[in-house]
Amino acid sequence: MNSEQTKTNWAQFIPLVTVFFFWGFVAASNDILIPVFKKAFDLTQGQSQLVSVAFYIAYTVGSIIYMLISLAIGKDLVNKIGYKNGLALGLTISALGTLLFYPAANMHSFPLMLSGLFTVALGFSLQQTVANPLAIALGPITTGSQRLTLAGGINNLGTTIGPLIVSFAIFGSAASGNTEMSIESVKIPYLILGVAFLLVAILLKMSSLPEHPATIVESVDDEKNSRSSALKYPQLILGMIAIFIYVGVEVSTASNLPAYMEKSLGFLTQDIAPYISLYWASLMIGRWTGAVEAFTDKMDLRKILRFVAPYLAFGVFLMVNAIAKHDLTPFYVYAIIILVLIAADMASKGNPARMLVIFSALGILSLVIGMATSGMVSVYAFISVGLFCSTLWPCIFTLAVSGLGKHTSQGSSFLIMMIMGGGIVSWLQGTVADSIGIQYSYIIGVLCFAYLAFYGWKVSSILKNQGIDFDKKISGGH
């Protein structure tokens, strides 16, 4: 049976990506909550970081709960309730989490605030389990990673504007320099967010999204490829390690950059924010570039969009920082570095395994340059890692769930569990930095990219042995 779609179903895809926006919006907004909670609850720096711990550990806990429920009912949870119902349930759980902010603020309770964040992310865990493979399924498999890349670009739009909106809701105009606030000012923005979660849940429930996408379940009847568990597929096992490492290198590269700029280059803390903003904007730049093939089959138009999309995303970064009244002069040179991204994207020819190898190699090169140089050259080298991390999540995810058939949602849950790598790899690099210095601690990132390049090379042969060849699919073969 071949039920693969020939074109992306935009009517279904567009409402789906609203949840990707929410993930970025809330995750980046946590960076605003950390200093707010630290002051309001009189916390130490270590205690304030419990905001991140509570949020990211929920992904792992959510995946474990998902597996336990699936075992208890004797069937994969999402396969039983359907993909659309799974999304609606995940959004409802997140909405319940936002409701906890109200009593937490009234009671001035930091643990209850953390419980609210944990519950929001618990809902995100189920949403990610459903939405990532669903984004791949809403069109031809050849552009599955590009659709997931586009969804990631929407996620990064959330990371760009989320902190600005939450900060404005709590403090008012950033130009006022106001840092005095009542913890009760957190209630309204998160209650509004909860209402948004419920509205989107209702809209998705009423949408034409499929409960059981054909491109996911079509291999159920293929006895040759049907196995007893998702863990029986080597592409998934190696992909779980890859997701753990990828999230780790993405987060740790950014989280260690402020300390490097302060200690080694003498930057003031308040002057670092736009550079960190550029790192996360680089992910958006790369993802908008990588998503071009999902829009059109016309080669001439693709060539034009490959240059338009990244600079449009770069323009969003410049606009946001102009609104924040930051000096944009230091950032114009970054437009040249973006050309390297465009060339790498063209060289990948839409093959996720090839893209994984090329972008990982460029990630290694960026880190090596950052470690071997000084001044602004090293800063931009480290920031450019964001460009080359940009499309790795969709590449890894697409490759890891390819061929899993009825075990796709189970495999997706295992992959979401590995998001915890963001905390562990960051901690590891920080520990190494205490011994050899922050600049040279980026050797951890080099090792991470080395494994990701290996995965891109290895998984290609694994999938070919299972009859899945992305080069043949891209060129029109079956």
Side-chain angles (χ1 to χ4, degrees):
M1 178 172 63
N2 186 4
S3 54
E4 181 180 311
Q5 295 172 258
T6 58
K7 292 184 178 180
T8 297
N9 191 326
W10 294 109
Q12 296 174 347
F13 182 81
I14 291 173
L16 173 65
V17 297
T18 56
V19 297
F20 286 81
F21 175 85
F22 282 145
W23 305 338
F25 186 100
V26 175
S29 298
N30 287 344
D31 293 335
I32 301 298
L33 292 183
I34 288 174
V36 168
F37 286 174
K38 182 179 180 181
K39 183 172 183 178
F41 294 112
D42 192 24
L43 305 173
T44 66
Q45 181 64 22
Q47 289 171 332
S48 70
Q49 293 301 313
L50 290 174
V51 170
S52 294
V53 173
F55 188 79
Y56 284 105
I57 200 68
Y59 282 95
T60 301
V61 173
S63 295
I64 293 173
I65 292 173
Y66 180 94
M67 287 187 294
L68 291 176
I69 293 176
S70 296
L71 287 172
I73 64 177
K75 185 176 182 180
D76 182 85
L77 176 62
V78 171
N79 283 346
K80 183 175 180 62
I81 68 174
Y83 277 69
K84 189 159 60 174
N85 287 332
L87 276 176
L89 176 59
L91 284 161
T92 302
I93 293 171
S94 294
L96 292 175
T98 63
L99 292 178
L100 290 176
F101 279 78
Y102 198 90
N106 289 338
M107 298 167 61
H108 204 76
S109 172
F110 182 55
L112 199 53
M113 286 285 187
L114 294 182
S115 298
L117 281 174
F118 178 87
T119 306
V120 169
L122 205 62
F124 284 0
S125 176
L126 178 56
Q127 293 167 44
Q128 290 233 26
T129 297
V130 176
N132 282 284
L134 191 54
I136 296 172
L138 295 180
I141 187 62
T142 54
T143 55
S145 64
Q146 284 80 10
R147 277 189 300 283
L148 203 50
T149 298
L150 175 59
I154 301 299
N155 175 278
N156 288 128
L157 184 61
T159 64
T160 300
I161 70 174
L164 294 176
I165 293 177
V166 172
S167 180
F168 181 82
I170 294 174
F171 298 112
S173 172
S176 69
N178 175 38
T179 58
E180 296 299 323
M181 52 81 72
S182 166
I183 195 64
E184 293 193 0
S185 64
V186 175
K187 292 191 297 187
I188 299 303
Y190 278 86
L191 285 176
I192 293 174
L193 188 61
V195 172
F197 286 153
L198 291 176
L199 287 176
V200 172
I202 293 170
L203 290 174
L204 287 176
K205 182 64 180 172
M206 296 170 60
S207 73
S208 61
L209 279 172
E211 290 289 10
H212 300 282
T215 50
I216 288 178
V217 301
E218 63 181 28
S219 63
V220 171
D221 298 326
D222 189 345
E223 296 296 333
K224 181 179 68 174
N225 289 327
S226 184
R227 308 183 189 186
S228 60
S229 167
L231 294 176
K232 298 292 184 179
Y233 293 83
Q235 65 264 39
L236 177 67
I237 298 296
L238 295 175
M240 289 169 64
I241 300 172
I243 287 290
F244 180 94
I245 287 175
Y246 157 71
V247 178
V249 70
E250 176 194 279
V251 173
S252 64
T253 300
S255 63
N256 286 281
L257 188 57
Y260 168 66
M261 294 179 68
E262 287 176 0
K263 294 180 180 179
S264 300
L265 304 181
F267 273 73
L268 297 176
T269 303
Q270 60 266 33
D271 295 331
I272 294 174
Y275 293 92
I276 300 301
S277 173
L278 180 56
Y279 176 84
W280 293 111
S282 294
L283 288 158
M284 180 170 63
I285 292 168
R287 286 169 178 170
W288 286 22
T289 306
V292 163
E293 292 185 23
F295 283 105
T296 179
D297 294 328
K298 298 178 180 179
M299 296 305 297
D300 289 341
L301 183 56
R302 282 183 181 180
K303 290 177 182 178
I304 295 172
L305 290 177
R306 273 199 173 97
F307 284 90
V308 172
Y311 288 107
L312 182 62
F314 186 49
V316 171
F317 159 77
L318 293 174
M319 180 182 68
V320 168
N321 279 273
I323 293 172
K325 302 187 184 304
H326 292 137
D327 180 15
L328 302 182
T329 305
F331 305 115
Y332 295 133
V333 68
Y334 203 69
I336 299 174
I337 302 175
I338 293 174
L339 291 173
V340 178
L341 167 78
I342 296 171
D345 182 69
M346 295 174 66
S348 71
K349 298 180 180 179
N351 184 313
R354 186 181 297 115
M355 179 174 285
L356 190 52
V357 173
I358 294 173
F359 277 53
S360 295
L362 288 170
I364 291 173
L365 179 62
S366 296
L367 290 174
V368 169
I369 292 174
M371 290 188 290
T373 59
S374 61
M376 292 309 299
V377 173
S378 64
V379 170
Y380 283 121
F382 288 140
I383 288 175
S384 68
V385 170
L387 292 174
F388 308 124
C389 277
S390 58
T391 61
L392 298 194
W393 171 280
C395 287
I396 296 168
F397 211 99
T398 300
L399 294 166
V401 301
S402 290
L404 267 61
K406 63 183 179 182
H407 301 300
T408 297
S409 56
Q410 182 189 58
S412 176
S413 178
F414 284 127
L415 292 170
I416 299 306
M417 183 187 301
M418 306 311 286
I419 289 176
M420 62 182 175
I424 295 175
V425 175
S426 294
W427 168 82
L428 177 61
Q429 183 174 344
T431 302
V432 172
D434 290 335
S435 299
I436 64 175
I438 295 174
Q439 186 172 16
Y440 296 112
S441 72
Y442 279 96
I443 188 65
I444 297 297
V446 171
L447 296 176
C448 289
F449 277 121
Y451 175 81
L452 295 176
F454 161 78
Y455 178 66
W457 167 76
K458 181 67 175 178
V459 75
S460 183
S461 60
I462 291 173
L463 292 177
K464 284 180 180 178
N465 288 336
Q466 296 177 16
I468 302 171
D469 189 335
F470 279 90
D471 279 323
K472 287 184 178 181
K473 287 178 178 290
I474 290 169
S475 63
H478 298 281

